[in-house]
Amino acid sequence: MNKMTRQFEGYSFIGLWIIGFMAFSLGPLLFSLIISFFKWSLLDKPVFIGLKNYIDMFKLDPLFWKSLKVTFTYAVVSVPLGLIVSLLLAILLNLKLKGMGIFRTLFYLPSVITGVAAAVLWMWVLQPDFGILNYFLSFLGIQGPDWLGDPNWALTSLIMMSVWGSGGGIVIFLAGLQNIPQLLYDVSSIDGATKFRQFRAITIPMITPSIFFNLIMGVIGAFRTFTQGYVMTNGGPLNSTYFYALYIYNKAFQDLQMGYAAALSWILFIIIAVLTLLVFKTSSSWVYYETERKG
Amino acid sequence: MLKKMMALSMSVIVVLTASACSGAQTADTSGNTDASNNSPATDAPKTDPEDAPVTIRFATWDTASSLETYKAVVDGFQAKYPNIKVQVESVPDSYEQKIFTSLAAGNAPDVFLWWNYPQLVARGAVEPLDSYIQSGEIDPDQYYPEIFNASKVNGVLYSIPNIPTTRAIFYNKTLFDKAGVPYPKDDWTYDDFLSAAQKLTGDGVYGFVTEAKNTYTLQQFVWTNGGKFISEDGKTVDGIMNSPQTAEALQWYADLVNKYKVSPSPSASTTMGGGTEMFKTGKVAMFESGLWPLNDYRKMSNFSFGTAMMPRKNGKLVGILHTSGFVVSKTSKHKDAAFKFAQYMGSKEGQTNFVKLGFGLPEMPAIAQDLKTAEDPYFRPFLEMIKYATVTPSYYATPEWSKIDEKLVYAMEATILGKMTAQEALNNAVKEINTTLQVGK
């Protein structure tokens, strides 16, 4: 009886969440899996076509490959770059200087701005004729490119922009850095360790859990990139910023191919899941937890 | 270890929600619309709207700024039909997606504004209105024929037209005077246009502005040059989209950017707000557009501008119409009331209010006469252009147009960026279109 009551209490506490999860996450998830085996325009009856959506994707659809390539390129460059920049900034922001609070706020500020507003802001920064970036470059005697208009530069521009928004990562790193016991630095400096040696042998290992977290979130975020492509470039010029998520959206709501779009989403899900799993699998060899004993 | 477990389960949830986002769009649609089983209007029982009070829903993409006009028109309707209550829903953002999902969920508005009829007709989502022509409730003769015909798909009427617009040239008189260029006349030619654009370019001003991705706009130049994008039956693009006439028209349009340099690069014009904004700020001397910005320009003081017909090539001119109309949803439970409302919105009474709002042209000569539209020098070229809208836009040919258009947009962009010649780009497009149409079919 007592055990029953307690179980009931437990379930009723998480009940609301479970209902929400079933209705708004699990339900749609299963529905999209089922619909990925159908041809469905949203307006007429779904027609079962088996694996055809998946087969066509790999066999017939050059845009599937193109958008995959764009998204992978973006992820492969922007994620490590974002990690390095935010770690370096976090280290700078961890110095004990006057007015550091202001700098911390300033560097975090970009992450507070929502996607669309940031996208519009950057369109102006990158404007070729009177954008601020090309204006600064002109002082150095450099004629800046047509950032978003040149197919060779557009993706680079968006990667640049992604680094600007790495404030969230900075905060995590900053917290990680502040968790490192001062003791370790003191002891090592008695042993004659240089600053660089301390960074390599203490800071980096101690901060690996934060790197791990930021890496996972970065990979997931990069593969879901949508707003920049949708607002700033509309996938162009010449499909050079045609992100996978944008392609899913266009297939669903422009071409009314819901089944195909659902199939595309599941491929994205598998890609993200596999990559996340890979990072997790390798993590035991490079992530260190203080509370953990390595045998 | 516990920490790791926590982290693992958290990430799994993150991944799940991540992918659910894309799934969720298709999700709220379990209630399947069985549109095809609904009986057509002719068999539906005609309930007299005077008898039972009903409420119908109407959706528009117009924003709050024009809602007062809507309210005035709806009030006029309700004075006439006190038993039909109308609920106006303004959806300025992602309008089409919202209509699609509501149609799929079976709770679409009874009447809504639409433009791409073939897309909905092919899926049986909108009500044919021919029976109302037979019953005499719609009189086709009161409309301009070019505009009324645009409400038909395969000869069947699906909508009551709403303020259409043609496209014509806006030009900045001050900049023309400064460059010593005569104002455009009704019968001006491509050569006149180009030489004017060249003289007007300089000092941070462009003579003209092109749109890199707007294949709809491009059509008028293609038609004027004797080309087309797709066959009438919507089945063939080979030999049509890549015909020499079509390629020549695209090449000419792209040359305005690359060869003659009278138009800014696509991204430069995008950040400057496109033609509408650039014209306002005096950064471009001419641009072609629908009627939409006219009222804004009129309200500006010290802004001297004019409008002109599109230029002709070898004496030939084909213009383009932007049309939309009020359609009745197949799933509407009050089709007759819905039709009455659609009809009123598109009637002389209703349309006069919308024309006054300044976003479009009269759809019937009677309104044009009443409002003396032809005497208004700004309206006149737009009104004249109606007669020249003699070719049906490509999207009428096939409900699959968006997929074809995507390849065409790529070709247009590649040509304007100078990566390929128009002929190469269009040949590529034709090759890709044939595979694209098979994907997921």
Side-chain angles (χ1 to χ4, degrees), chain A residues 184-193 198:
Chain A
L184 297 176
Y185 292 105
D186 295 344
V187 171
S188 66
S189 67
I190 291 170
D191 285 344
Q198 284 183 340

Side-chain angles (χ1 to χ4, degrees), chain A residues 28 31 42-43 52 56 63 123-124 127 146 224 234 237-239 242 249 253-255 257-258 260 269 280, chain B residues 11 18-19 26-27 29 97 100 104 120 123 213 265 267 271 402-403 406 410 413-414 438-441:
Chain A
F31 182 75
L42 195 66
L43 303 178
K52 186 158 190 314
D56 285 355
L63 269 180
M123 283 173 78
W124 283 98
Q127 211 280 341
D146 184 353
R224 292 167 59 199
N234 197 8
L238 296 181
N239 296 343
Y242 208 153
Y249 178 84
F253 288 108
Q254 186 186 294
D255 297 344
Q257 290 189 284
M258 282 296 159
Y260 193 70
F269 173 78
F280 267 103
Chain B
S11 311
S19 301
T26 64
T29 51
Q97 285 84 315
F100 289 144
L120 291 189
R123 276 115 193 177
K213 290 184 160 196
S265 78
S267 71
T271 26
S402 71
K403 289 178 218 166
E406 189 165 49
Y410 187 91
E413 221 182 352
Q438 295 164 33
V439 169
K441 279 282 145 188

Side-chain angles (χ1 to χ4, degrees), chain B residues 23-172:
Chain B
Q25 292 166 344
T26 64
D28 50 347
T29 51
S30 42
N32 210 338
T33 314
D34 196 353
S36 51
N37 280 357
N38 273 309
S39 47
T42 34
D43 307 337
K46 299 235 170 182
T47 46
D48 191 351
E50 245 79 18
D51 288 339
V54 293
T55 301
I56 56 169
R57 287 161 57 223
F58 163 66
T60 167
W61 52 59
D62 278 323
T63 47
S65 61
S66 39
L67 280 188
E68 274 192 27
T69 307
Y70 275 103
K71 197 176 171 303
V73 179
V74 169
D75 284 349
F77 173 75
Q78 277 174 347
K80 213 168 160 188
Y81 300 99
N83 277 342
I84 306 175
K85 283 257 172 300
V86 182
Q87 201 178 315
V88 179
E89 295 167 11
S90 161
V91 186
D93 190 39
S94 320
Y95 180 80
E96 290 171 25
Q97 285 84 315
K98 292 217 170 103
I99 294 289
F100 289 144
T101 40
S102 70
L103 282 167
N107 61 358
D110 301 86
V111 180
F112 54 93
L113 267 181
W114 199 252
W115 62 277
N116 189 343
Y117 312 124
Q119 194 182 32
L120 291 189
V121 168
R123 276 115 193 177
V126 289
E127 191 67 24
L129 303 176
D130 271 2
S131 61
Y132 296 103
I133 301 181
Q134 282 134 32
S135 70
E137 285 170 86
I138 300 174
D139 173 17
D141 294 337
Q142 61 177 326
Y143 299 93
Y144 289 108
E146 292 84 0
I147 290 164
F148 191 72
N149 287 338
S151 278
K152 292 180 186 169
V153 179
N154 301 326
V156 180
L157 184 72
Y158 283 96
S159 98
I160 311 286
N162 183 33
I163 43 169
T165 179
T166 50
R167 294 182 80 95
I169 302 270
F170 283 89
Y171 64 95
N172 184 321

Side-chain angles (χ1 to χ4, degrees), chain B residues 58 60 62-63 66-74 88 113 160-164 291 295 326 341-363 367 371 379:
Chain B
F58 163 66
T60 167
D62 278 323
T63 47
S66 39
L67 280 188
E68 274 192 27
T69 307
Y70 275 103
K71 197 176 171 303
V73 179
V74 169
V88 179
L113 267 181
I160 311 286
N162 183 33
I163 43 169
L291 192 67
N295 260 16
F326 303 94
F341 180 68
Q343 189 199 27
Y344 184 85
M345 294 299 273
S347 71
K348 188 170 170 240
E349 260 173 297
Q351 287 292 300
T352 304
N353 285 290
F354 289 116
V355 174
K356 279 184 188 158
L357 202 59
F359 294 140
L361 295 172
E363 61 189 20
I367 301 177
L371 296 179
F379 264 82

Side-chain angles (χ1 to χ4, degrees), chain B residues 181-258:
Chain B
V181 180
Y183 300 151
K185 295 202 174 61
D186 277 356
D187 58 349
W188 67 325
T189 63
Y190 269 39
D191 292 340
D192 299 335
F193 166 81
L194 187 58
S195 83
Q198 282 173 318
K199 283 181 202 144
L200 290 157
T201 303
D203 287 337
V205 175
Y206 288 100
F208 187 68
V209 56
T210 54
E211 291 178 73
K213 290 184 160 196
N214 196 338
T215 58
Y216 194 75
T217 297
L218 181 66
Q219 280 178 123
Q220 54 189 331
F221 300 108
V222 169
W223 296 336
T224 297
N225 203 38
K228 282 190 103 178
F229 288 144
I230 190 166
S231 64
E232 296 278 341
D233 64 5
K235 295 213 170 81
T236 322
V237 287
D238 198 5
I240 300 174
M241 187 180 280
N242 55 352
S243 68
Q245 293 92 328
T246 308
E248 193 187 30
L250 173 57
Q251 193 63 55
W252 175 81
Y253 192 74
D255 283 349
L256 295 175
V257 182
N258 296 319

